[in-house]
Amino acid sequence: MDEDLEAGFQEKPVHKHHVDCSDNDLSFRAVEPVNVSVHSLTVDINTSPAGIAALSSALKRRKDAAVTAHKRILDNVTAEMPSGSLTAILGGSGSGKTTMLHALSHRISGGRLQISGHVRYNGTGRTSGVKSAYVMQNDVLIPTLTVRETLRYAAELRLPPPATPEERRRVVEEVILELGLKECANTRVGNNIHKGCSGGEKRRTSLGVQMLANPSVLFLDEVTTGLDAASAFQLIKTLKLLANTGRTIIVTIHQPRSEIWGLFDHLVLLSGGVTVYSGLAKNCLLHFESLGYALPAFVNPAEFLVDLAAHDIRSPELEHESSVRVQLLKQAWSSSGSRDIRASWVTKEKTGVQPTSIDDHARRGSSYLGRQISVLTARTFKITYRDPMGMAGSLIEALSMAIVTGWIFYNLDGSLSGIRSRQGALYTAAALQGYLILLFEIFRLTIDIELFDREYAEGVVSVPAFLISRRFARVFMEDLPVPLLYSIIFYFMVGFDPRASQFFVFFAVNLLMHYIAVSLAMLCVSVSRELSVATLIANMAYTLQSLGCGYFVQSNQIPVWMRWLKWTAYVFYGFGAMAANEFVGHTTNPAGRIYDCPNTGGLATAACEEYTGAYQMRSLGFPDDWITRPILVLFAFAIAFYVGAAFILRYKTVGIQISRAQKPGIDTSLGKEALIAVLPDNERTVKITLHEYSLDIRKRVHWLTKVETKSILKPVNTVFEPGVLNIIMGPSGAGKTSLLNVMADRLRDSVSTTYMRNGNMIFNNAIPSADVVRSICSYVCQDDDALLPCLTVRENLQFAAALRLPTHYSKIQKRQRAESVLLKMGLRDCADNLVGNDLIKGISGGEKRRVTIAIQILTDPQVLIMDEPTSGLDAFTASSIMEVLKGLAEEGRTLILTIHQARSDLFQHFGNILLLARGGYPVFTGKGSNMLPHFAALGHHCPTNTNPADFALDLITVNLQRADKEAASREKVRSLILSWDTTTTTTTTTTSQPPTTITQTTPSHLSAPAELGSLIIRSPTPFTTALPLLLHRSTLNFRRSPPALIARTTQVLGFALILTLFFAPLQSNTYSIQTRLGFIQEFAALYFVGMLQNVAVYPTERRVFGHEHGDGAYGVAAFFLQYTILEIPFEIVTSLFFALLTVIAAGLPRTAKLFFIVSFNCFAIVNCGESVGIVFDTFLQNNTGFAISLMSVLLSLATVMGGVMRLGLPRFLEGWNFLSPVRWALGNLAPWTLGGVVFRCRDGGGGGEGRGDAGGGGGGGGRGGGDGVGCTGPRTGEEVLRLYGLDKNAGLNLVALGVCVVVYRLVAWGLLEWRMRRWGWRWKWRGSRGFGKGKGMGMGMG
């Protein structure tokens, strides 16, 4: 123990660039003072229906249509925030704190918002001369960078150019020390998938990033949320230090400890968007005392004020009492207190305080363009290098596409079929490869663009710097290697001319197509940040490109009204350049390259003309000399797309949508003062004992070549008892969340990470199986992503109750239970508001937290594990929730929760406490009443007016801000750890008999330990009950989600419309053979449509299902079937519209039989694409981008092997092709659409296909224009089918396609079942040995 402790608490070496800052001063340059004032600020939100809902409302003439559909968020707020002050905005959840902060920082806008009043900086409404920074609630950080790297890059971008590199390094190290980030400075930030820093450390890092901008005004939204009390206190002291140097600091804060109160200079207290106090913090208590509300002794002033201004809706009596009180406070301030502020404001307006003139670069914190490019390039290079799955996605895609497509087109000969296959190979290289890059880059950009939006809004990154650096950083890692690797492999496998000049032209075109793809991706994402919308734009654009390129439809066969589009299609130039390079380039022969004509007489015979390169160029509609000009045009396309993206990024405002409240139903929560007890009185209670319980993590780093082991939690011996609140406390990095995760069986191994647990977790003197743990324990994690964003709070709770409560409950009882919990959690006022997400503004963060907790306590679980249930909540709401939890505990349940910032009046309710120091060292465990005596015996006495919880956290927190304090605090914590270890060694006893392992599952209420599991097993909701509920819930959520509707409907319809415009009307001359085959081949693109529809919808639904399945709510079958049932109607309807356009408008035989055949083919291919998406996203659920790359390769291969682009396949690939729905679709469509068609040799009409001008492409092989030469090649549809090997049984192929649909969906279902059962098997295996001693956790995902 001593050795481990020495290793963990010794003075850690400082980074080589560390500068000693023992004087605790921050070396920021002086800033211009800025006074912020707000006068009569009012914000209203238009909550009336929009879009389709508005039209529906108008048509139905709803009764409530005449009611003013506005909600007031802020009402006539007036306040002063002078420079050199720290101003706190207090109030309950939903009181308008964040909205006020947005208004003050001029970050609030939108068509649904109505804003009145004035916000002034130094007496003027102009903000261009003011340097400000904003710390948001959510942390926008790069997960693959360390904390130190994040801050250094922020300093490089944010500190003004006059600052020297040494100054930047010094300031970064000072900020690291000031914010207590020294011990995690070299730890990667991490995310939900790859763990790194704790939530509190991320929060402090976000603050550090904004501090480095050295702003005059700093806005911080709930900056202490997620921090422990000691870290929060230290952070606010840092902000006070910044304010003392002339800065204006404005913060919203939920639960400030009593010591923090004394640091506030000014205070704004809001209640329901209305000011109840605004002014000096020191005068606040006197104001309320004059109204009859005096601060009681030993009560935190901030908690007192928040309670005073809160609406208590837990019962009708409390609601009436609080409403009267709050109304009195509002009237008192409106009639007296606000007059002084308004008079002061008017006086300052008359005196005309003018803003200080500040240089534009300095005030925005912007560095010069060259510097920005340099910094962003270095940062992007490091991010790319540290994302092996991202690099693998692009490199594996290029490698696999090159090898497999090279195999498909391997060593093509000079026969007619070989020549046609060369065209397919060239199209694959020119268009298909770029399309895959396009999809992958769009996915990456939808993630990466969030950071750019944030930095661009802050003025630290310019649009040109972002665009240029993104390409500079990847030029040698992706942009050159990907097309080069593909070109080398594919070019020589196909058997193209090995001359170096010809190869480098091929590579140059590939390189330019790669750059065009990434530029077009940037353009699509600049238009929309939604993946579904961006991919829709890309798909439609690519469809136009592919149809205008001359391969699927001969360029002079395109209808005259669409023919001009070929000149705007970059694939037309790329494919044309490659075709010219192959067929007529690098030769002096006017006929171009000569292939293997089987007829005697050579080129003198007409039959051999189609074996010449010049003939192939004319048949494709390209001029002969078509290499240099297309390459120049391709370069221009790449530049144009990037310039277009830059223009949109520069001038398009990215905002957040405002959700509207749904029409409220009957409020059945009224009068429910008490929760309805679910647990029977005779139900067994559960006592949990941890014996030498520890956790280590083994990680593979450096591309999985090096193994590192890190200790997260040192051996813990503690007891969590039923009937009381069991509290886990400790600073950030103490292992609190990891302990809860391992206790709740929620940790999953991966390829790079293995969790190793030691010791025993004992339930009532018995080691439980994993099934028992997951059955009786409900877990409330920190994340709120299990909520459906387009459902209201009430709907989320009602559906959760219906899916989670036992089947013997009636629908009415389940609804009553949901309403009862809704009331107790203080959610009635927002019950009919949409939850919302990052793009749709809904309820507040604190309200989301309460909804997440409410869902878990619906079932009154016997063991409730909660990770920071009060984080993000105001003091009043936190107190209300703790009362609810205390009531649950008193009913005999075991509640285990971590708490960062506990109210002073809550400590007396803490039953058992586990106190952990950083590094997972236990410092105290036992009764809460014994904690202070224990520390007092060690010489650490808690002052009588100090919150005991704050005192304990301060005691075990290492002060990293100053070297002398760090050494002293480390020694203090070390002695506390050693003292507790000595105490437990001498006092802890263990039973002589080992605990038994629970394996029974038969229901029983006996008290024997081995029967504990049978007593408390919760079974999932039956399939027949869950399915209708899930369908109803998903339909509601889907109907209110515009991106999901766009993904499901517009892809197929847009594709059908473009096909019709390009192919209608299909003709019957010999020049239209290529066009008709291209029309059939285009059906393969529906495979990609299905996959993209899935990527836009399924991952979100699967994530919610993962949470609910982990809670044992329902099974895989119910989820999978509801997803399929909801998906299929959209596919059927869009397929019918697809057939309507392609059969009737395009010119196929207008028969009912063919109409339904085309409809079924469209439905089948899209459905198979959906199934492929389910398979890959289920298997690679944490790497969606990598899954998109692999899926794109697979779908591309199916497209190439469909039967039109490649004539004849190697035997193995021919066998593999039997699994592809594209093969069976083209196999039945070709006979039904080409059978019986007779192709005329000449056609004087047809939009000029008979003209032989070089610029027009030679009129389809140079046979037009009345040249008197008889046409060659196939004359009937049957001959075409024989040439392409498509003369098979169409009906049998149609049946095979139907079988593909069923088999693909069953495979997807089976994989999802296997995925869940795989975890279950591992749990079962672990359950056979219980939660006892062992190294590996044994439940990885592979």
Side-chain angles (χ1 to χ4, degrees):
M1 175 65 185
D2 290 343
E3 294 177 357
D4 292 340
L5 196 58
E6 290 289 349
F9 274 83
Q10 65 183 349
E11 292 285 346
K12 298 191 176 180
V14 181
H15 194 273
K16 63 180 180 179
H17 294 299
H18 170 66
V19 178
D20 186 18
C21 303
S22 58
D23 58 356
N24 204 36
D25 290 332
L26 294 175
S27 302
F28 289 118
R29 297 185 176 222
V31 298
E32 298 290 341
V34 175
N35 298 314
V36 180
S37 59
V38 55
H39 177 65
S40 301
L41 177 64
T42 300
V43 178
D44 292 318
I45 293 181
N46 180 5
T47 59
S48 59
I52 297 176
L55 179 62
S56 175
S57 178
L59 293 176
K60 292 180 180 179
R61 299 178 181 273
R62 294 179 176 176
K63 295 180 181 180
D64 60 342
V67 179
T68 303
H70 285 86
K71 180 179 179 181
R72 179 150 293 183
I73 305 299
L74 292 177
D75 188 4
N76 201 30
V77 175
T78 300
E80 286 281 346
M81 299 137 201
S83 63
S85 67
L86 172 59
T87 301
I89 303 175
L90 296 180
S93 296
S95 62
K97 301 186 300 298
T98 299
T99 302
M100 181 177 176
L101 206 63
H102 285 167
L104 291 174
S105 59
H106 291 271
R107 291 171 180 265
I108 189 169
S109 62
R112 301 179 71 85
L113 294 175
Q114 296 180 5
I115 305 172
S116 60
H118 305 280
V119 176
R120 301 298 175 101
Y121 289 175
N122 285 346
T124 180
R126 294 187 294 110
T127 62
S128 58
V130 176
K131 187 177 176 184
S132 65
Y134 191 102
V135 180
M136 301 187 299
Q137 289 187 34
N138 57 316
D139 301 312
V140 183
L141 302 170
I142 301 173
T144 53
L145 293 181
T146 67
V147 171
R148 177 172 276 111
E149 290 167 344
T150 299
L151 295 176
R152 284 195 176 164
Y153 285 123
E156 294 288 339
L157 291 170
R158 285 168 169 80
L159 291 181
T164 65
E166 182 60 28
E167 288 177 328
R168 296 189 187 96
R169 286 195 294 268
R170 182 173 64 253
V171 171
V172 166
E173 297 301 329
E174 290 170 354
V175 168
I176 289 174
L177 291 178
E178 187 67 28
L179 296 179
L181 295 170
K182 178 182 176 182
E183 293 192 343
C184 66
N186 295 317
T187 301
R188 293 189 185 183
V189 172
N191 53 23
N192 293 333
I193 300 172
H194 303 287
K195 298 300 181 183
C197 295
S198 67
E201 290 164 343
K202 291 179 183 177
R203 192 94 271 257
R204 282 176 278 160
T205 303
S206 294
L207 173 59
V209 168
Q210 298 304 323
M211 285 174 57
L212 289 170
N214 194 24
S216 295
V217 184
L218 180 59
F219 302 96
L220 305 103
D221 193 9
E222 298 181 17
V223 68
T224 61
T225 295
L227 302 184
D228 60 86
S231 298
F233 181 38
Q234 193 60 57
L235 188 147
I236 298 299
K237 286 200 298 183
T238 299
L239 296 179
K240 179 65 174 177
L241 174 66
L242 293 174
N244 290 339
T245 58
R247 294 166 178 81
T248 306
I249 311 296
I250 306 172
V251 304
T252 65
I253 191 166
H254 269 156
Q255 301 180 59
R257 56 188 284 180
S258 54
E259 291 86 349
I260 290 178
W261 170 262
L263 300 177
F264 296 149
D265 298 307
H266 286 254
L267 180 72
V268 178
L269 182 61
L270 299 176
S271 179
V274 180
T275 309
V276 295
Y277 181 82
S278 177
L280 293 174
K282 63 182 181 181
N283 297 334
C284 177
L285 297 178
L286 295 176
H287 167 75
F288 288 107
E289 186 175 350
S290 67
L291 300 176
Y293 300 101
L295 174 70
F298 303 110
V299 173
N300 185 338
E303 295 171 359
F304 166 73
L305 292 177
V306 173
D307 290 349
L308 202 61
H311 286 274
D312 193 342
I313 62 173
R314 291 174 292 175
S315 70
E317 294 80 9
L318 292 174
E319 181 177 11
H320 175 72
E321 178 185 344
S322 62
S323 297
V324 172
R325 181 184 67 246
V326 170
Q327 189 61 32
L328 174 65
L329 297 178
K330 292 178 181 178
Q331 292 176 354
W333 181 252
S334 176
S335 61
S336 60
S338 61
R339 293 176 185 172
D340 298 336
I341 295 181
R342 290 169 182 159
S344 172
W345 193 88
V346 172
T347 301
K348 290 186 178 183
E349 284 294 292
K350 291 180 178 180
T351 58
V353 179
Q354 297 299 319
T356 306
S357 177
I358 306 172
D359 177 75
D360 186 69
H361 283 290
R363 69 170 177 256
R364 296 290 292 174
S366 297
S367 50
Y368 298 109
L369 179 62
R371 178 174 183 78
Q372 289 184 19
I373 294 174
S374 174
V375 174
L376 292 178
T377 299
R379 188 176 72 179
T380 306
F381 181 85
K382 185 169 290 186
I383 295 170
T384 305
Y385 172 77
R386 289 182 179 172
D387 181 21
M389 297 302 289
M391 287 187 61
S394 55
L395 293 175
I396 291 177
E397 178 274 323
L399 183 65
S400 56
M401 273 294 290
I403 292 176
V404 181
T405 54
W407 189 8
I408 293 172
F409 295 103
Y410 183 70
N411 199 20
L412 294 176
D413 57 26
S415 65
L416 191 58
S417 62
I419 296 173
R420 294 179 185 269
S421 294
R422 286 175 186 269
Q423 295 180 5
L426 293 172
Y427 173 81
T428 300
L432 206 52
Q433 169 66 9
Y435 177 63
L436 305 190
I437 298 296
L438 172 66
L439 294 182
F440 182 60
E441 183 69 9
I442 284 178
F443 173 80
R444 289 201 300 189
L445 274 171
T446 54
I447 298 173
D448 297 344
I449 200 71
E450 184 181 9
L451 180 62
F452 162 75
D453 288 335
R454 174 70 187 274
E455 293 181 331
Y456 178 67
E458 294 167 353
V460 298
V461 169
S462 65
V463 172
F466 168 68
L467 296 178
I468 296 172
S469 66
R470 190 172 179 86
R471 298 276 55 90
F472 277 7
R474 290 178 171 150
V475 65
F476 295 113
M477 301 183 73
E478 290 183 9
D479 292 349
L480 281 177
V482 168
L484 181 61
L485 183 66
Y486 178 85
S487 298
I488 292 174
I489 297 174
F490 182 77
Y491 187 88
F492 293 104
M493 285 188 70
V494 172
F496 291 132
D497 195 314
R499 280 179 292 187
S501 58
Q502 190 165 330
F503 167 77
F504 280 109
V505 169
F506 181 88
F507 167 67
V509 175
N510 252 315
L511 179 63
L512 288 172
M513 296 299 284
H514 175 92
Y515 273 109
I516 289 174
V518 295
S519 301
L520 179 57
M522 183 67 73
L523 181 64
C524 295
V525 174
S526 67
V527 174
S528 175
R529 306 301 195 260
E530 281 279 354
L531 178 64
S532 57
V533 179
T535 53
L536 170 65
I537 298 171
N539 248 1
M540 297 302 100
Y542 176 77
T543 302
L544 289 171
Q545 300 291 323
S546 63
L547 293 180
C549 75
Y551 177 68
F552 292 108
V553 51
Q554 204 268 356
S555 58
N556 292 316
Q557 288 273 308
I558 300 173
V560 66
W561 59 85
M562 297 294 293
R563 194 173 303 165
W564 60 273
L565 282 175
K566 72 179 182 181
W567 303 109
T568 66
Y570 65 84
V571 179
F572 173 76
Y573 298 96
F575 178 53
M578 284 191 173
N581 185 54
E582 166 63 19
F583 293 125
V584 296
H586 312 281
T587 179
T588 57
N589 192 333
R593 184 173 177 179
I594 309 300
Y595 294 94
D596 303 334
C597 178
N599 299 321
T600 58
L603 294 180
T605 61
C608 284
E609 186 176 357
E610 58 185 333
Y611 288 86
T612 64
Y615 177 91
Q616 298 303 321
M617 290 294 291
R618 291 194 300 272
S619 71
L620 293 170
F622 294 125
D624 291 337
D625 184 16
W626 199 236
I627 296 180
T628 304
R629 283 180 292 168
I631 288 178
L632 295 176
V633 174
L634 290 176
F635 181 78
F637 264 107
I639 299 298
F641 284 148
Y642 236 37
V643 171
F647 183 83
I648 296 174
L649 290 174
R650 172 64 180 82
Y651 295 104
K652 183 176 184 290
T653 302
V654 178
I656 188 169
Q657 301 179 17
I658 305 296
S659 68
R660 65 183 185 90
Q662 301 302 301
K663 183 178 180 180
I666 299 175
D667 190 355
T668 57
S669 66
L670 287 172
K672 304 295 189 306
E673 287 82 7
L675 289 174
I676 303 172
V678 174
L679 194 65
D681 293 336
N682 61 346
E683 193 65 272
R684 283 287 311 238
T685 59
V686 181
K687 177 181 178 181
I688 301 177
T689 303
L690 301 183
H691 177 66
E692 296 296 320
Y693 207 62
S694 65
L695 175 66
D696 297 331
I697 293 181
R698 180 181 296 161
K699 300 196 72 171
R700 293 182 177 271
V701 296
H702 299 296
W703 294 76
L704 308 181
T705 60
K706 182 181 178 182
V707 178
E708 294 180 353
T709 301
K710 181 179 181 181
S711 178
I712 302 299
L713 188 68
K714 299 302 186 291
V716 174
N717 295 284
T718 190
V719 176
F720 300 123
E721 296 179 324
V724 297
L725 295 177
N726 299 278
I727 307 299
I728 303 175
M729 294 192 303
S732 297
K736 303 183 299 295
T737 299
S738 298
L739 175 59
L740 295 188
N741 283 333
V742 70
M743 288 180 63
D745 197 16
R746 298 302 175 98
L747 293 179
R748 299 286 176 268
D749 290 357
S750 66
V751 175
S752 61
T753 305
T754 302
Y755 297 95
M756 300 179 294
R757 186 189 60 239
N758 294 286
N760 292 318
M761 181 170 69
I762 304 167
F763 284 17
N764 290 358
N765 200 34
I767 299 176
S769 67
D771 288 336
V772 170
V773 172
R774 296 180 65 82
S775 176
I776 71 171
C777 297
S778 289
Y779 183 44
V780 180
C781 59
Q782 292 187 37
D783 300 324
D784 300 319
D785 56 357
L787 303 176
L788 290 169
C790 294
L791 295 186
T792 66
V793 170
R794 175 173 278 116
E795 289 166 346
N796 269 287
L797 282 173
Q798 288 179 348
F799 281 114
L803 289 168
R804 292 166 184 262
L805 290 177
T807 55
H808 60 79
Y809 273 68
S810 66
K811 291 183 179 179
I812 295 177
Q813 288 176 317
K814 291 181 178 180
R815 186 177 292 268
Q816 288 177 343
R817 173 65 183 172
E819 296 295 337
S820 176
V821 172
L822 183 145
L823 176 68
K824 275 299 180 183
M825 299 302 292
L827 293 167
R828 200 185 72 192
D829 285 349
C830 64
D832 297 302
N833 291 342
L834 298 182
V835 169
N837 54 23
D838 292 338
L839 296 175
I840 302 176
K841 175 64 177 174
I843 60 178
S844 68
E847 290 164 340
K848 286 182 182 179
R849 187 93 274 253
R850 282 180 277 162
V851 176
T852 301
I853 297 172
I855 288 175
Q856 292 299 332
I857 68 175
L858 278 169
T859 57
D860 273 340
Q862 288 156 308
V863 178
L864 182 58
I865 301 174
M866 312 178 76
D867 192 11
E868 300 180 23
T870 60
S871 287
L873 304 182
D874 61 90
F876 171 77
T877 305
S879 177
S880 302
I881 288 178
M882 291 301 292
E883 288 184 15
V884 174
L885 298 180
K886 185 172 178 291
L888 290 174
E890 290 174 348
E891 293 176 358
R893 293 161 183 82
T894 305
L895 270 69
I896 306 170
L897 52 152
T898 62
I899 287 185
H900 268 160
Q901 302 175 48
R903 287 178 54 130
S904 54
D905 56 352
L906 291 180
F907 182 79
Q908 59 183 326
H909 301 300
F910 291 176
N912 294 305
I913 294 178
L914 170 61
L915 198 59
L916 297 173
R918 183 178 178 86
Y921 293 93
V923 178
F924 173 83
T925 175
K927 300 290 184 182
S929 57
N930 296 335
M931 185 182 74
L932 294 183
H934 167 75
F935 289 128
L938 298 175
H940 305 285
H941 297 274
C942 177
T944 56
N945 59 348
T946 299
N947 184 343
D950 296 342
F951 165 76
L953 287 173
D954 291 343
L955 196 61
I956 64 172
T957 299
V958 177
N959 190 329
L960 301 175
Q961 293 182 311
R962 293 177 53 176
D964 55 343
K965 289 187 176 182
E966 178 181 353
S969 59
R970 281 188 185 278
E971 181 58 32
K972 178 185 62 177
V973 175
R974 180 178 180 275
S975 64
L976 291 173
I977 295 171
L978 288 176
S979 298
W980 181 251
D981 182 60
T982 303
T983 302
T984 55
T985 301
T986 57
T987 60
T988 302
T989 59
T990 58
T991 58
S992 57
Q993 294 181 352
T996 58
T997 300
I998 303 171
T999 57
Q1000 302 295 324
T1001 56
T1002 307
S1004 170
H1005 285 270
L1006 300 177
S1007 59
E1011 296 174 353
L1012 176 64
S1014 62
L1015 174 67
I1016 48 188
I1017 290 290
R1018 289 200 311 260
S1019 58
T1021 302
F1023 172 81
T1024 53
T1025 303
L1027 180 60
L1029 290 170
L1030 292 173
L1031 280 172
H1032 185 199
R1033 186 179 71 172
S1034 295
T1035 302
L1036 279 178
N1037 188 67
F1038 192 82
R1039 182 168 57 86
R1040 297 172 186 165
S1041 176
L1045 288 171
I1046 290 173
R1048 284 276 184 234
T1049 57
T1050 54
Q1051 297 262 18
V1052 174
L1053 297 180
F1055 180 67
L1057 180 63
I1058 293 174
L1059 277 185
T1060 302
L1061 290 175
F1062 270 88
F1063 285 95
L1066 289 171
Q1067 300 178 25
S1068 299
N1069 52 57
T1070 53
Y1071 319 128
S1072 67
I1073 294 176
Q1074 173 188 343
T1075 301
R1076 284 181 175 265
L1077 288 172
F1079 180 74
I1080 298 170
Q1081 176 65 39
E1082 280 295 319
F1083 275 69
L1086 293 169
Y1087 213 1
F1088 284 94
V1089 170
M1091 180 267 287
L1092 292 175
Q1093 289 183 176
N1094 175 268
V1095 169
V1097 177
Y1098 177 76
T1100 302
E1101 296 201 10
R1102 191 256 309 144
R1103 187 161 49 249
V1104 174
F1105 164 67
H1107 282 279
E1108 295 178 329
H1109 184 270
D1111 293 335
Y1114 51 89
V1116 174
F1119 163 74
F1120 194 87
L1121 198 56
Q1122 72 84 18
Y1123 180 85
T1124 302
I1125 292 174
L1126 195 62
E1127 161 205 345
I1128 285 178
F1130 286 95
E1131 293 174 349
I1132 292 175
V1133 172
T1134 54
S1135 296
L1136 291 174
F1137 276 100
F1138 180 88
L1140 188 68
L1141 289 171
T1142 54
V1143 174
I1144 297 178
L1148 292 177
R1150 296 181 176 90
T1151 64
K1153 177 182 178 181
L1154 187 58
F1155 175 84
F1156 287 109
I1157 287 174
V1158 171
S1159 298
F1160 178 75
N1161 275 273
C1162 174
F1163 164 81
I1165 299 175
V1166 172
N1167 189 273
C1168 287
E1170 283 263 9
S1171 298
V1172 171
I1174 294 173
V1175 168
F1176 278 85
D1177 188 76
T1178 299
F1179 191 74
L1180 298 170
Q1181 55 187 353
N1182 292 331
N1183 296 282
T1184 304
F1186 188 60
I1188 290 176
S1189 289
L1190 295 183
M1191 285 189 289
S1192 299
V1193 172
L1194 181 65
L1195 271 55
S1196 298
L1197 299 179
T1199 300
V1200 173
M1201 296 189 298
V1204 173
M1205 296 178 66
R1206 173 64 166 105
L1207 306 185
L1209 291 171
R1211 181 170 299 179
F1212 174 80
L1213 293 178
E1214 182 63 39
W1216 180 262
N1217 201 28
F1218 276 84
L1219 303 175
S1220 170
V1222 175
R1223 179 191 192 278
W1224 305 113
L1226 270 59
N1228 77 80
L1229 283 170
W1232 267 310
T1233 57
L1234 289 173
V1237 177
V1238 177
F1239 297 104
R1240 298 185 299 275
C1241 188
R1242 288 196 186 94
D1243 190 348
E1249 62 271 19
R1251 292 189 296 270
D1253 61 292
R1263 288 304 182 191
D1267 55 6
V1269 181
C1271 58
T1272 60
R1275 298 289 305 277
T1276 66
E1278 285 72 16
E1279 292 179 7
V1280 174
L1281 293 174
R1282 283 194 296 272
L1283 175 64
Y1284 283 84
L1286 297 173
D1287 53 339
K1288 302 296 189 295
N1289 189 320
L1292 188 61
N1293 286 338
L1294 189 66
V1295 172
L1297 180 61
V1299 172
C1300 265
V1301 172
V1302 176
V1303 171
Y1304 271 48
R1305 191 50 56 102
L1306 289 177
V1307 169
W1309 186 351
L1311 182 64
L1312 186 59
E1313 283 277 9
W1314 171 81
R1315 193 68 165 164
M1316 296 303 175
R1317 289 182 181 273
R1318 184 188 181 196
W1319 291 343
W1321 292 336
R1322 300 228 177 175
W1323 300 331
K1324 204 167 187 180
W1325 170 72
R1326 288 171 52 210
S1328 64
R1329 60 187 178 93
F1331 270 62
K1333 296 181 180 180
K1335 289 291 183 184
M1337 290 190 65
M1339 52 179 179
M1341 298 187 298

